[in-house]
């Protein structure tokens, strides 16, 4: 008998999770939970309440694809039922809720239950190769990086899903919805983020949303590297995310692939894996890789390598940037 999976939340990203499950022959999608019936697929059982789904279906794994403020409670409920969890980013809209989930998993209240957090960009070929080169020592001294998320969103993006612009429901804007993957990557590449100096603001959507649409920051890392970071959803076009890493023996340029510019040697280029056919093109194929890896490791005793304990740092960094920004400093203080 195969594994039984369920999806909680049928918003935009759930189609990527469903496509990944359909490519796993040992997994059956048995049910979804969604409060808006019109979003539910017609070919699987649908529940309005995730608690009823957990009780009635007893799945082996649930995929949580809800708005940010609805991440932790379903995850904790699933864990309490002994159900594994694949959780969309971020851990939560706000730190206290995220910390509850981390505490639950660290204390191993349900030994053997695994939680994966979808920082799927760590599975990008370009990111994985860059991490390998940094860790290998072949680059010599690594000085730091410059990272940019120059994206474009329209007013309809927020109007069609009002939670995206809500401080209570989303916990942030471009930082938590788009740029969190880049912040996580910088932390992963350089062994963490020690100090944060930055600012978030609203440059275009101030009349529409309660969260930031633009942000910049300077990070320092444990081994002395410095990263400069910029993110916006007010760009003229949907431009590619880029990360430039500067080192003694080579510079790395990540943008839809990895270019290694060796000093005194020929360049090397590693193209990104072919994009998938489901969802938006910039989502790529790494969701599928992460999900498949998670299912492969379910019978292993160790926690999944990319879970709540690894995922909370990027959220903490985002909250530090917001706390240094006049519009959100008091809100961050209250939530903490």
């Amino acid at each position: 008998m195969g594994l039984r999976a369920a999806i909680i939340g049928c918003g935009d990203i759930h189609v990527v999770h469903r496509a990944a499950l359909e490519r796993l022959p040992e997994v059956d999608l048995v049910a979804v939970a969604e409060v808006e019936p019109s979003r539910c697929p017609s070919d699987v059982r649908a529940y309005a309440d995730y608690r009823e789904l957990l009780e009635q279906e007893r799945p082996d794994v649930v995929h949580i694809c809800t708005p940010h403020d609805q991440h932790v409670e379903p995850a904790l409920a699933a864990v309490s039922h002994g159900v594994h969890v694949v959780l969309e980013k971020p851990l939560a809209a706000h730190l206290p809720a995220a910390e509850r989930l981390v505490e639950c998993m660290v204390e191993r209240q349900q030994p053997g239950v695994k939680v994966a957090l979808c920082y799927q960009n760590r599975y990008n070929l370009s990111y994985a190769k860059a991490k390998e080169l940094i860790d290998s020592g072949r680059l010599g001294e690594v000085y730091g990086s410059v990272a940019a998320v120059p994206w474009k969103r329209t007013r309809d993006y927020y109007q069609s899903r009002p939670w995206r612009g809500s401080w209570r429901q989303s916990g942030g804007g471009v930082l938590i919805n788009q740029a969190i993957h880049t912040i996580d990557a910088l932390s992963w590449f350089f062994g963490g983020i020690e100090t944060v100096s930055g600012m978030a603001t609203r440059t275009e959507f101030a009349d529409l949303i309660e969260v930031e649409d633009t942000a910049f920051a300077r990070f320092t890392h444990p081994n002395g590297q410095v990263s400069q970071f910029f993110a916006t959803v007010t760009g003229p076009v949907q431009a590619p995310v880029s990360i430039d890493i500067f080192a003694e023996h080579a510079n790395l340029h990540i943008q839809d692939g990895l270019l290694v510019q060796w000093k005194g040697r020929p360049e090397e280029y590693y193209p990104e894996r072919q994009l998938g056919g489901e969802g938006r093109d910039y989502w790529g194929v790494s969701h599928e890789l992460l999900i498949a890896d998670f299912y492969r490791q379910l019978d292993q005793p160790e926690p999944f390598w990319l879970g709540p304990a690894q995922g909370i740092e990027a959220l903490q960094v985002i909250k530090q940037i917001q706390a240094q920004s006049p519009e959100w400093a008091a809100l961050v203080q209250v939530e903490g």
Side-chain angles (χ1 to χ4, degrees):
M1 181 179 295
L3 293 167
R4 295 164 51 82
I7 296 176
I8 299 175
C10 293
D12 294 344
I13 197 65
H14 101 279
V15 300
V16 177
H17 287 253
R18 179 161 188 178
L21 292 173
E22 289 172 349
R23 294 187 177 97
L24 296 175
E26 73 278 14
V27 181
D28 295 315
L29 177 63
V30 297
V32 299
E34 170 57 55
V35 296
E36 294 187 24
S38 63
R39 294 187 186 175
C40 295
S42 59
D43 56 343
V44 295
R45 285 184 294 279
Y47 295 82
D49 191 321
Y50 68 83
R51 290 170 287 259
E52 184 180 1
L53 182 152
L54 291 170
E55 291 290 344
Q56 296 295 323
E57 298 291 342
R58 301 287 178 176
D60 299 295
V61 182
V62 294
H63 294 240
I64 298 176
C65 302
T66 53
H68 301 170
D69 65 321
Q70 300 169 35
H71 281 188
V72 171
E73 294 303 330
L76 290 173
V79 169
S80 71
H81 281 76
V83 177
H84 305 292
V85 175
V86 178
L87 179 62
E88 263 303 324
K89 60 78 183 166
L91 279 181
H94 306 288
L95 271 177
E99 290 165 350
R100 287 175 57 207
L101 183 54
V102 172
E103 182 181 7
C104 171
M105 298 311 298
V106 169
E107 291 184 357
R108 300 301 297 269
Q109 295 176 7
Q110 292 288 339
V113 178
K114 296 181 186 292
V115 177
L117 181 64
C118 286
Y119 283 162
Q120 71 278 357
N121 283 10
R122 293 198 192 190
Y123 284 78
N124 290 358
L125 186 148
S126 55
Y127 286 51
K129 185 65 180 179
K131 174 67 170 170
E132 176 190 319
L133 286 168
I134 292 169
D135 290 350
S136 73
R138 294 173 59 199
L139 299 178
E141 183 180 356
V142 179
Y143 308 126
S145 69
V146 174
V149 184
W151 280 11
K152 177 181 176 62
R153 290 292 182 270
T154 64
R155 295 178 71 86
D156 182 66
Y157 171 79
Y158 295 105
Q159 291 168 333
S160 64
R161 300 283 190 273
W163 70 266
R164 292 170 173 158
S166 162
W167 172 262
R168 180 183 63 82
Q169 292 179 279
S170 187
V174 62
L175 286 169
I176 204 167
N177 245 333
Q178 286 83 27
I180 192 170
H181 294 292
T182 304
I183 294 171
D184 173 67
L186 296 176
S187 175
W188 184 46
F189 289 155
F190 303 126
I193 294 174
E194 284 197 335
T195 67
V196 178
S197 177
M199 179 78 70
T201 187
R202 291 179 293 178
T203 64
E204 183 174 346
F205 299 114
D207 66 324
L208 181 64
I209 62 176
E210 302 171 342
V211 296
E212 78 284 345
D213 61 27
T214 300
F216 61 89
R218 181 182 188 272
F219 307 139
T220 64
H221 304 282
N223 293 317
Q225 299 97 343
V226 172
S227 289
Q228 293 286 350
F229 161 84
F230 170 75
T232 190
V233 286
T234 69
V237 297
Q238 179 78 10
V241 174
S242 65
I243 302 176
D244 287 283
I245 299 170
F246 304 96
E248 182 180 4
H249 300 314
N251 295 329
L252 311 184
H253 178 65
I254 299 173
Q255 183 176 305
D256 297 330
L258 171 65
L259 176 64
V260 184
Q261 299 171 306
W262 292 103
K263 299 175 183 178
R265 291 172 46 190
E267 295 180 344
E268 298 174 8
Y269 180 67
Y270 301 88
E272 197 53 75
R273 297 179 179 92
Q274 185 177 357
L275 298 177
E278 294 79 17
R280 301 174 185 138
D281 56 4
Y282 53 81
W283 284 342
V285 300
S286 293
H287 259 103
E288 180 179 339
L289 298 174
L290 183 152
I291 290 168
D293 193 24
F294 180 72
Y295 277 87
R296 279 193 298 269
Q297 296 187 36
L298 286 182
D299 60 352
Q300 302 300 312
E302 300 83 7
F304 190 62
W305 76 286
L306 186 46
Q310 294 73 39
I312 197 169
E313 183 180 43
L315 183 60
Q316 292 169 330
V317 169
I318 287 167
K319 294 302 177 182
Q320 288 182 67
I321 296 172
Q322 292 170 338
Q324 295 172 31
S325 308
E327 290 188 73
W328 296 282
L331 292 173
V332 175
Q333 185 176 9
V334 169
E335 81 172 35

